[in-house]
Amino acid sequence: MANFQVTGSLVWYYQICPRETWFLARQLVADQDDENVDYGRFLQEKVYQRDKKDVTIGHLKVDVMKSKGGQLVIGEVKKSSASEDSARLQLLFYLNELQEMGVTAKGELLFPEERKKEQVILDEEGKKKIEELKEKIKKVVSSELPPPPRKVRWCKNCAYREMCWA
Ligand code: SF4
């Protein structure tokens, strides 16, 4: 894990389940036939066709990138707002990393099924939160073993569920 870098997906998954974060960081491949994985792909590929999608900037992979009134806007697409706080942190992470690269951007959380959109701005409090979160994720990922499974409401839809509860 010498070259390990925290990514937006890991920020998202850490809020859901630190064990899942460990699996992902170790590149244990999730069940690619899982219907949630398929649906996520569908949302990213079809819903925001006019904007640039799946843009890679260094270690960042953002869902949507567009310009609005001369301002760079990074969009994060989610199926539902049930984990809105995790999605907001993921987006703050992107904005923070971009700022460290000298790029100022605003964020938009997009919930197409709910026709909902939320603006996200990186402020000092957000920056502090993200730096603390990055340290926590690095600590979990650098452990030799994953954290033990802990039932959370997301387990039933988790692509790693067989590795925890089979
Ligand atoms: S099944 Fe539950 S405990 Fe296991 S990795 Fe997924 S969310 Fe975490």
Side-chain angles (χ1 to χ4, degrees):
M1 302 304 290
N3 298 323
F4 171 73
Q5 261 188 317
V6 176
T7 64
S9 300
L10 295 181
V11 168
W12 157 265
Y13 281 106
Y14 185 80
Q15 306 306 310
I16 307 287
C17 171
R19 180 174 168 88
E20 194 169 359
T21 310
W22 190 95
F23 287 144
L24 281 163
R26 302 287 169 137
Q27 298 180 339
L28 294 177
V29 179
D31 179 2
Q32 294 300 306
D33 294 330
D34 187 287
E35 62 180 28
N36 287 305
V37 175
D38 283 348
Y39 188 71
R41 278 194 209 117
F42 167 78
L43 272 182
Q44 285 184 2
E45 285 166 15
K46 302 290 177 205
V47 178
Y48 293 97
Q49 286 183 333
R50 281 167 302 162
D51 302 320
K52 283 192 176 177
K53 304 176 306 295
D54 292 333
V55 182
T56 302
I57 313 160
H59 62 295
L60 312 177
K61 271 195 178 148
V62 302
D63 286 347
V64 180
M65 191 168 93
K66 58 188 173 185
S67 173
K68 222 178 188 179
Q71 168 85 58
L72 179 67
V73 178
I74 300 298
E76 179 61 29
V77 184
K78 293 295 182 205
K79 184 178 166 188
S80 110
S81 57
S83 355
E84 195 171 335
D85 290 347
S86 308
R88 191 178 300 109
L89 282 171
Q90 183 177 357
L91 196 44
L92 281 173
F93 168 79
Y94 291 139
L95 299 179
N96 185 61
E97 300 300 282
L98 285 170
Q99 197 180 74
E100 286 183 358
M101 294 175 199
V103 178
T104 305
K106 285 184 178 172
E108 272 183 4
L109 275 183
L110 305 160
F111 305 103
E113 280 206 345
E114 300 171 12
R115 297 179 187 276
K116 192 174 158 186
K117 187 192 286 189
E118 186 194 318
Q119 309 296 320
V120 176
I121 306 280
L122 180 70
D123 58 10
E124 283 309 309
E125 193 188 333
K127 278 179 80 66
K128 191 166 169 258
K129 229 183 239 178
I130 292 302
E131 290 305 328
E132 287 169 1
L133 196 50
K134 281 164 70 177
E135 288 312 308
K136 285 184 189 168
I137 293 171
K138 283 179 191 166
K139 197 170 165 202
V140 162
V141 170
S142 63
S143 298
E144 271 191 30
L145 294 173
R150 202 165 47 90
K151 276 263 187 233
V152 290
R153 66 181 166 128
W154 312 106
C155 288
K156 64 179 187 308
N157 293 325
C158 176
Y160 293 105
R161 58 191 177 270
E162 291 204 357
M163 296 173 80
C164 300
W165 310 113

